[in-house]
Amino acid sequence: MMPSSLKIVKYPHPALRQKAQPVQAITDEVRRVAARMFELMYEHEGLGLAAPQVALPWQLIVLNFTADPDKRDNELVAINPVIVESKGSVVGREGCLSFPGLYQNVRRAKTVKVQAYDLQGRLYEMVCHDLPARVWQHEIDHLHGILFIDRMGSLGRERSARELQQFIAEFEADKKKGLISADLVAQL
Ligand code: CO
């Protein structure tokens, strides 16, 4: 697999519904994939990107809560991340790089404590509130095949119905044109 060929897949690509598997070893390939994911995340002005969004069923997330490629100190790589504690509840506007242009209110925990491994294989723990907590929850959901549309209230889902139909129509059209390769998913 060539990390440089990785692209962000859009809803309703089936890779987004796959359950990601734990990363067993931090190889050069994992490092190259993470670097490519940062590239894609910055290109699309995201705060986080999960491996299933590049059609890889790996428990791997990249994050930068500043979304600023010049602020590399803020980059986080999360391998096999888990939320070990969550508190409170808050509604906020949310989008997803796999649903370009779609934003809706989603209720999330206000505070989360996360454990993950970094690219050096060191376990770290982090407590986040508000927006960073929201990003963690959104990205970790991706690893379980859960999308933000699943977390919307009925009003948000109703308001998204037309956009979702459009994403499905575009996906079907791209598939007919041969632009979407199902092999991507098996490309490990
Ligand atoms: Co997303």
Side-chain angles (χ1 to χ4, degrees):
M1 185 252 308
M2 291 291 293
S4 58
S5 67
L6 293 175
K7 278 188 282 191
I8 295 177
V9 298
K10 286 190 254 175
Y11 176 83
H13 195 290
L16 295 170
R17 290 301 189 185
Q18 272 197 320
K19 251 182 102 65
Q21 299 305 309
V23 174
Q24 303 289 355
I26 300 161
T27 58
D28 276 349
E29 188 184 36
V30 172
R31 279 186 277 270
R32 282 198 300 267
V33 166
R36 174 63 179 152
M37 284 171 61
F38 273 118
E39 240 173 55
L40 289 167
M41 185 187 83
Y42 291 130
E43 196 181 304
H44 298 273
E45 295 174 349
L47 305 178
L49 186 67
Q53 293 183 276
V54 294
L56 288 176
W58 298 0
Q59 291 185 15
L60 169 68
I61 293 170
V62 300
L63 309 122
N64 185 336
F65 301 126
T66 69
D68 184 345
D70 294 330
K71 294 189 175 147
R72 296 271 152 152
D73 290 354
N74 293 288
E75 288 184 350
L76 285 169
V77 174
I79 295 168
N80 306 343
V82 280
I83 293 172
V84 293
E85 220 177 286
S86 50
K87 267 187 231 157
S89 166
V90 62
V91 172
R93 221 165 155 66
E94 206 169 302
C96 177
L97 295 182
S98 295
F99 295 77
L102 179 64
Y103 298 90
Q104 285 297 340
N105 284 341
V106 178
R107 181 175 292 280
R108 299 279 187 186
K110 183 175 169 61
T111 302
V112 293
K113 189 198 271 185
V114 179
Q115 283 179 355
Y117 293 90
D118 66 15
L119 274 182
Q120 280 72 46
R122 291 176 302 221
L123 182 68
Y124 63 93
E125 190 174 275
M126 217 176 154
V127 177
C128 291
H129 311 279
D130 299 305
L131 183 63
R134 176 173 298 280
V135 176
W136 272 115
Q137 291 169 83
H138 178 113
E139 300 308 335
I140 290 177
D141 266 356
H142 272 301
L143 304 183
H144 298 98
I146 299 167
L147 302 171
F148 81 139
I149 51 172
D150 308 330
R151 302 285 193 195
M152 285 175 191
S154 49
L155 188 62
R157 204 144 346 137
E158 230 168 87
R159 284 182 175 155
S160 310
R162 196 190 300 164
E163 274 120 315
L164 295 185
Q165 279 313 314
Q166 224 163 319
F167 283 125
I168 292 168
E170 277 167 31
F171 181 79
E172 292 305 325
D174 283 352
K175 218 161 61 176
K176 269 197 202 118
K177 282 186 256 169
L179 293 176
I180 288 162
S181 139
D183 304 345
L184 253 183
V185 180
Q187 208 170 247
L188 294 170

